[in-house]
Amino acid sequence: VPIIPLLLVNGCQGIGTGWSTYIPQHDPLDVVKYIRAKLEDKKRLPSIKPWVKDFDGIISIDADHTSYTTEGTLTPTSKSSLTISELPVGVWTSDYKEYLVKMLKKGEIKSFTENHTTSSVLFDVKLNMATLSRLLKGDIHKTFKLRNSLSTRNMHAFTPDMNIVRYKSPRNIADDFFPIRLALYADRKSVLESIMEYSATLMRNKARFIEAVSTNNIDLLHGKKSKDATNALLEEMEFVKQSDLDVIKSNNTVAKRRASQHDIANDEISSIDPSKEYEYLLSMPLLSLTTEKIETLNTEAAKMDSKMQEMKNTTAEDLWKSDLDKLESYLISNNK
């Protein structure tokens, strides 16, 4: 589920069993603005217009919004010549060349040359002065077949419930996409909060453990206590167990939903060997047992607490808006 519905941006065309579909490409900036307007709960939502990357022609929508017309670019270069520098959407250069050949055979044009590049079209056409003058007074784009109409009455797609429907407008597609993506932001927020709380708790316990070892409140260097006795002491000193850390980490909507789907009880989410509950502390290297490490861990824990509080004050809508801002900035800077 991307930041915006790519079905609208990339478009879709094809035939399935009993169904066909044609969904045109749309301006990604329009889609961004529409999603942002829905997040801000605006009553008046912006339109989403058909758009094709690098297309230099004209795209216009009919009055009832059931089709749109694309028009290529034709420019007179002299009294007896013109250039065609853009073709309608969906018209291939080779197919259009065949049409010009037919015009040439009928005597409608005198000649034409091709000067295309890998990214642009360019036909130079020669014709009689009188013919060009007459065509310019009429619908010259129609004469040169530089206009085509594309229907939006056939925008079939699967709904989130996997039913095939005909969408009447691009807005309807965005509307179906909207609650799915927004629900995932709520999940993201929940997961990030649990991870941050896990990390902060872990770092605080490590800092406290190092401090206890450095002040000999916990003796690890003289080997006077067994591992079981050390574990018992850590429990007595109320250090957080690994199983409790795992519970904190899984305290989010995604983990709970997965546990529910697999019928897993909360106390089964983390099944740690009792003898390894404090392994995350006892396995720390000796190089970590320094006052500098204590300060670093406490500082990082405080930063994580701050990030966690910031995340708790952030809504799912805010997270989506932030992604939209980044995407919009990228689209603008890279000319979409």
Side-chain angles (χ1 to χ4, degrees):
V1 185
I3 297 174
I4 58 176
L6 291 184
L7 178 61
L8 288 178
V9 177
N10 293 329
C12 179
Q13 183 174 3
I15 300 173
T17 305
W19 299 92
S20 65
T21 186
Y22 176 72
I23 300 173
Q25 299 173 43
H26 294 82
D27 192 335
L29 289 175
D30 282 354
V31 181
V32 168
K33 291 173 183 175
Y34 184 83
I35 295 295
R36 185 182 285 114
K38 283 183 70 70
L39 288 170
E40 295 172 353
D41 202 22
K42 291 185 177 179
K43 293 182 179 179
R44 191 170 184 177
L45 298 173
S47 60
I48 303 176
K49 300 182 292 293
W51 172 89
V52 178
K53 182 176 175 62
D54 297 329
F55 179 66
D56 291 328
I58 297 172
I59 298 178
S60 56
I61 304 173
D62 67 359
D64 59 0
H65 289 78
T66 57
S67 65
Y68 68 100
T69 301
T70 66
E71 189 176 280
T73 303
L74 180 150
T75 308
T77 52
S78 71
K79 293 182 178 180
S80 60
S81 64
L82 57 84
T83 61
I84 297 169
S85 56
E86 184 64 274
L87 300 177
V89 172
V91 177
W92 293 91
T93 307
S94 57
D95 294 336
Y96 193 74
K97 178 181 178 180
E98 291 180 9
Y99 176 68
L100 289 180
V101 169
K102 290 179 181 178
M103 292 185 73
L104 183 62
K105 290 179 178 179
K106 291 179 181 179
E108 295 173 339
I109 60 174
K110 296 174 65 176
S111 65
F112 71 89
T113 57
E114 300 175 79
N115 295 287
H116 316 305
T117 68
T118 55
S119 59
S120 65
V121 173
L122 187 63
F123 288 101
D124 289 309
V125 183
K126 301 288 186 183
L127 59 172
N128 292 324
M129 291 175 60
T131 301
L132 179 56
S133 177
R134 174 175 53 82
L135 290 175
L136 287 173
K137 293 176 182 178
D139 192 346
I140 192 170
H141 283 81
K142 181 179 180 180
T143 302
F144 277 89
K145 284 194 174 182
L146 287 176
R147 187 184 298 117
N148 67 352
S149 180
L150 300 171
S151 174
T152 57
R153 296 183 180 92
N154 201 33
M155 296 198 297
H156 287 103
F158 284 104
T159 68
D161 298 325
M162 295 306 291
N163 296 315
I164 295 179
V165 301
R166 182 172 72 85
Y167 287 98
K168 295 182 179 179
S169 74
R171 289 182 176 187
N172 296 146
I173 294 176
D175 290 342
D176 263 7
F177 172 90
F178 186 82
I180 305 301
R181 176 77 183 187
L182 186 59
L184 289 176
Y185 276 107
D187 282 344
R188 178 193 287 184
K189 170 179 162 64
S190 180
V191 170
L192 289 175
E193 285 175 4
S194 64
I195 291 174
M196 289 173 181
E197 185 176 357
Y198 168 85
S199 299
T201 304
L202 180 71
M203 287 185 285
R204 277 195 297 268
N205 271 265
K206 284 186 174 182
R208 183 175 159 231
F209 175 76
I210 295 171
E211 190 171 7
V213 171
S214 64
T215 56
N216 290 322
N217 288 329
I218 298 176
D219 184 9
L220 295 178
L221 303 177
H222 299 93
K224 294 180 180 179
K225 284 186 174 67
S226 65
K227 184 176 181 181
D228 289 342
T230 303
N231 281 335
L233 176 60
L234 292 172
E235 185 172 5
E236 182 183 337
M237 297 177 70
E238 297 183 343
F239 279 93
V240 178
K241 297 178 180 179
Q242 181 63 58
S243 57
D244 293 329
L245 286 170
D246 291 343
V247 169
I248 292 173
K249 194 173 185 178
S250 60
N251 184 27
N252 57 69
T253 55
V254 175
K256 289 177 180 178
R257 186 163 59 245
R258 288 175 179 169
S260 175
Q261 290 171 349
H262 295 87
D263 198 22
I264 302 172
N266 289 334
D267 56 357
E268 294 178 359
I269 294 175
S270 177
S271 55
I272 301 293
D273 183 341
S275 65
K276 295 183 178 180
E277 285 281 19
Y278 296 108
E279 199 73 22
Y280 76 97
L281 296 175
L282 299 175
S283 62
M284 292 175 66
L286 287 173
L287 287 174
S288 298
L289 306 179
T290 63
T291 55
E292 290 82 3
K293 188 64 175 179
I294 295 173
E295 292 176 3
T296 299
L297 286 168
N298 282 327
T299 300
E300 291 300 318
K303 289 180 180 179
M304 193 59 67
D305 283 335
S306 178
K307 288 183 180 179
M308 182 171 61
Q309 189 58 48
E310 183 179 343
M311 181 58 63
K312 286 183 177 180
N313 294 332
T314 301
T315 65
E317 288 82 358
D318 291 334
L319 290 175
W320 200 348
K321 287 178 186 177
S322 176
D323 281 351
L324 288 173
D325 290 342
K326 294 174 186 176
L327 176 59
E328 184 176 43
S329 175
Y330 177 84
L331 291 172
I332 293 173
S333 63
N334 289 273
N335 296 319
K336 297 186 280 191

